Amino acid sequence: MLEFKKHILPNLGVFFRYKNTVDVFVEDSYDEEFYKVIINRVFEKTGHKINKLISLGGKSNVIAACKEDQDKRDTKRIYIVDGDLDILNDTNENNLDYLFVLEKYCIENYLIQEDPLIEIIHDNVLIDRDKIKKILSFENWLKGISSELVELFIHYALCKKIVPTQRTISLGVGSICCQKNKITILDSKKCSERIETLKEKLLDVVSEEEYNDQIYNLRQKWPPSVNHVLTVVSAKDYLLPLTEFRLQKFKSIKKFTLSRDSLRIRLAKQIDVKELEEIKTRIK
C-alpha cells in the first residue's frame, strides 16, 4: 500500500470514478472480490455500481481519512471498518458522517448463516436438506461453542485495553482445537487454558479486584449466546475455520473439498444481507 498524506486519502476515489458511482473505502485489499460481492448485493436495485473498493490499509487509516472528509461535496462515499474488539470495549468511533462501523466483529461474521450453509452442502453431497440440517445441527453447535469463545474474546478485549502488547486474535483457533472422530472441534480444555494464560498476563498489570470488576462488567453485557458469539467472535479467524471443520461431518457421506476462499465467496453470494442494509442510509 502506497503511503499518502491523510488529506489526500479521501480524494483517491477520483482515480476510480469511472468504475464506481459510490466511493467505498475499506481497511484492506486482500479480500476485495469477496467484499465486493457483499457490497454490491447491499446496493442492488439502487442503481449504484461498485467495481473497485478503495483500500486504505487499516482501520485507523480509514477513520483518519473519514475525519478529513466531513465537508459536503458531490461525491457519494462510505467508509467501512470492522467492529473488532472495540465492540466489547465500546470504543468504536460513532460520530462521523459517512462512517459505517460494522455491528459485528468483521464482515465475515455476516456469513455464518444456516440456510446458505445448507444450500452449499446440498450442492455438494446431494442429500435431503432436512438430513443436512439435522447433521449440521447449526444452532446447537453454536450454543455449544458460545460459552468458551465469548469468554475468550472478553479476555482478548480486556487485554487490548490493559496490556495491548499481548497477542490475542493472532493466536488463532487451530491451537485450541482437537480431533474427535476424525473431525476437528473446539477443545474446551485448551480454550480454558488460553483464557487462564491471558488472565495471568492481566494480573501482572492490575489487581485481582480490578480484574474481577472489569470481567464481571463484560460478562454482564455479553453473556454466552448464539447472537453474541456471532457478534463479538472473529469469524475470519475463528468462526469461519470452525465452520469449515464442521463440514467434515459430511465427508463420510460423500467426499468433497471446499477451500475456505471458495466457501467465503459462495456464502457471500447467498447470505441474507438485511443486517447490512443500513450502509445505504450512510451514503450522502
Side-chain angles (χ1 to χ4, degrees), residues 2-13:
L2 294 173
E3 292 291 330
F4 295 96
K5 292 183 178 179
K6 288 181 181 179
H7 69 277
I8 295 175
L9 292 175
N11 298 310
L12 291 177

Side-chain angles (χ1 to χ4, degrees), residues 30-31 82 84 105-106 108-109 112 149 152-153 156 168-177 186 194 233-243 245 260 264:
Y30 60 89
D31 282 331
D82 292 342
D84 294 323
Y105 189 95
C106 60
E108 282 86 353
N109 284 67
I112 313 299
L149 287 181
L152 177 62
F153 271 71
Y156 282 167
T168 55
I169 310 301
S170 63
L171 292 169
V173 72
S175 59
I176 53 173
C177 289
L186 186 70
R194 180 176 292 181
V233 175
S234 169
K236 179 179 178 181
D237 298 300
Y238 287 73
L239 295 180
L240 199 58
L242 289 170
T243 300
F245 299 152
R260 193 167 305 165
R264 287 199 316 161

Side-chain angles (χ1 to χ4, degrees), residues 57-96:
K59 185 173 182 176
S60 60
N61 283 352
V62 176
I63 293 173
C66 187
K67 285 180 178 178
E68 294 289 330
D69 192 17
Q70 294 298 290
D71 294 335
K72 291 183 178 180
R73 54 190 179 94
D74 292 336
T75 304
K76 293 184 181 299
R77 69 273 198 196
I78 185 77
Y79 293 79
I80 304 174
V81 294
D82 292 342
D84 294 323
L85 293 173
D86 294 311
I87 290 179
L88 288 130
N89 288 326
D90 195 21
T91 50
N92 271 311
E93 176 67 60
N94 57 14
N95 292 312
L96 292 176

